[in-house]
Amino acid sequence: MATIKDVASLAGVSVSTVSYALSGVRPVSAEKMASIQTAMQELRYQPNRIARSLASKRTRIIAILFPKVEHGIGFSEIDLILEAAKSALRYGYQLVIWTLTANSAEELQELLTQELVDGVILMEVHLGDPRIGVLKKRRVPFILLGRDADKPEETFIDIDFFTTMMECFTYLKGLGHRNVAFINQSEKSFRAGYGPVVRTHEAFSYFLENFEIKGREFFCESDSAQVCAITEKLLAEDPGVTAFISMNDASLPGLIRGIEQRGRRIPQDVSIVSIVSSARPASNYLPAITAFEMDIHTLMDLAVTQLIAKLDGRYAELPERLIACVLRERQSAGAAGGSGF
Amino acid sequence: MATIKDVASLAGVSVSTVSYALSGVRPVSAEKMASIQTAMQELRYQPNRIARSLASKRTRIIAILFPKVEHGIGFSEIDLILEAAKSALRYGYQLVIWTLTANSAEELQELLTQELVDGVILMEVHLGDPRIGVLKKRRVPFILLGRDADKPEETFIDIDFFTTMMECFTYLKGLGHRNVAFINQSEKSFRAGYGPVVRTHEAFSYFLENFEIKGREFFCESDSAQVCAITEKLLAEDPGVTAFISMNDASLPGLIRGIEQRGRRIPQDVSIVSIVSSARPASNYLPAITAFEMDIHTLMDLAVTQLIAKLDGRYAELPERLIACVLRERQSAGAAGGSGF
DNA sequence: CTGTTAGCGCCTTCAG
DNA sequence: CTGAAGGCGCTAACAG
């Protein structure tokens, strides 16, 4: 591999000139610049990242921190990671994955001490997350992504649950729905203060009044059979329900089945709108599910750019960025009142 | 951060002694060893990875290469990546993600030239993949993972489609099924020589004869509506079919619906077995799908350990490792002949 | 505008 | 068994 020295001697200049030509930190005359360019091309020179990191004390590597993935909002974690990697690459950074297990705090300490990364993106943050303390103490720049507990003092990027819910209500009301049911995630998550569950819960209650819509909410595990039973029960008790909002991709099969087993058609009799979901599952169900999908690209690009801004010390803006989900209309939602129920 | 120098002076030895104490390449007296240990503990010393990499010319970082994820075998790429990261970490390596776009060869060249990684895991390899040529020319150790085109000359880890199909036949035959249908992925993939599609196709034909089972195969896009139509048509033409094998997780909703719309119950009248699938979707459908699931843990751990072995120059074994899928019985498969069809 | 040079933190000969 | 010292490839003062 060609080194900066090779380039320097081929171009007939000193190594520092080459270095400055590369970084632009110091002006370089046009001629020298030209010969340096030529030399670099000829040698197919690419700076050695490791050496550069050692000298500059910046690795330009960021870590994305994943605790165990179990319940996840959807199936889209892969897209989240890939999108983050893509953004990082675009800005000249590399993304490493850190999977932490039980005693995350200790593991994290060790990883951090190796000084491999400049900053960290934290996924799946929970209330009183021990990782945050570690990061703060070591003064490692970090950013929280999604599903955070309410921690406004940290920089975080999250889904705008409030706006998403509002748009969902607007959409359903526009279609004539006046009686809706909301399938949230588990009550356990709610009690644990899990961000998405709590916030959508609050938003739902709020907009119910605001939009003058009748509605009820159910906390469900990601268990299709259970959701199916609940759906049937609800439809029996209150046949006037014309729409379901689901924040639980995995239980969609149960929802669909429950509705159909009560003899209702989707979307003629009952509509389904999935929120905070990912494209792939939603589009594969039958009927394909109309959904407010996460804007993964925006979410991750923002996370990466904000983190890099912090690393560059040019971070000044608000410590919070909320991204609303975007509507993708498919076949599961339509005008209310088609049937005589 | 404490450096090796700090440890050396605290322990009253030279830096090289500390270094050797760390690597074990050279014997160190018990006393010195002890004081070095103490010093390291006191200072919470962890070697700086970057400096170590520069000096040793080994970064202990490996890259996992992802082209665009579109059709994917399932929804489990996330588990694949996370599992790889976990394995890497366990062996003291770090995993970076490289997402390549269009002109992969060039992009890959650039990334490689930065000399950040020691080796590469290639995902989603296709026939005549340009990335392989690049890797070979630069002599970067690599390993192919899954879904490769037939390239026995490269080291690769893959799913054992043959064995998986055989076990699936054994399972179904044991349940009394004698007439099965196989939902493969798209014909386009087949024509393109896409490994999983071609191999399962061959295995299916082979075992049909071998097990004296009647059967037919369908190539389908990952489109539930289409699969539903095909299923209904098939059931109409040949009511004797008692079991479906699916290698297409995304089309499962269509399959289920198609069967039910023909008035058949699952699994009393018709069974479904999904192969090469991932746990999460399979378990969420209604009924929960019995499936031969990828052994992601084994697959990725093998990929990582084999790659590391190569890096250490202690690679001698066979260039191929096949891992069969493992059966998880759920609710979609049962004895044949329950109904009078 | 440019060159010289001292590190960055660690590994690894080379002497002893 | 141990220490001294020269890199690894690059950055960033420092001195023109």
Side-chain angles (χ1 to χ4, degrees), chain B residues 4 16 19-20 45 48 52:
Chain B
I4 196 171
S16 59
S19 176
Y20 286 120
Y45 172 73
N48 176 305
R52 177 174 269 191

Side-chain angles (χ1 to χ4, degrees), chain A residues 64 73 76 79-81 83-84 87 121 123 143-147 156-161 276-277 293-307 321-326:
Chain A
I64 185 161
I73 269 190
S76 52
D79 298 314
L80 251 26
I81 290 195
E83 207 59 58
S87 284
I121 297 176
M123 308 283 290
I143 196 158
L144 311 183
L145 201 135
R147 319 177 210 179
F156 74 88
I157 309 292
D158 202 0
I159 288 165
D160 188 340
F161 297 99
V276 193
S277 65
E293 293 171 3
M294 294 189 254
D295 183 352
I296 289 176
H297 175 74
T298 304
L299 235 26
M300 297 317 290
D301 193 64
L302 202 50
V304 170
T305 52
Q306 295 285 66
L307 180 56
R321 284 289 129 70
L322 263 21
I323 311 296
C325 293
V326 310

Side-chain angles (χ1 to χ4, degrees), chain A residues 4 16 19-20 45 48 52 55:
Chain A
I4 196 172
S16 62
S19 176
Y20 287 120
Y45 173 74
N48 176 306
R52 175 176 272 189

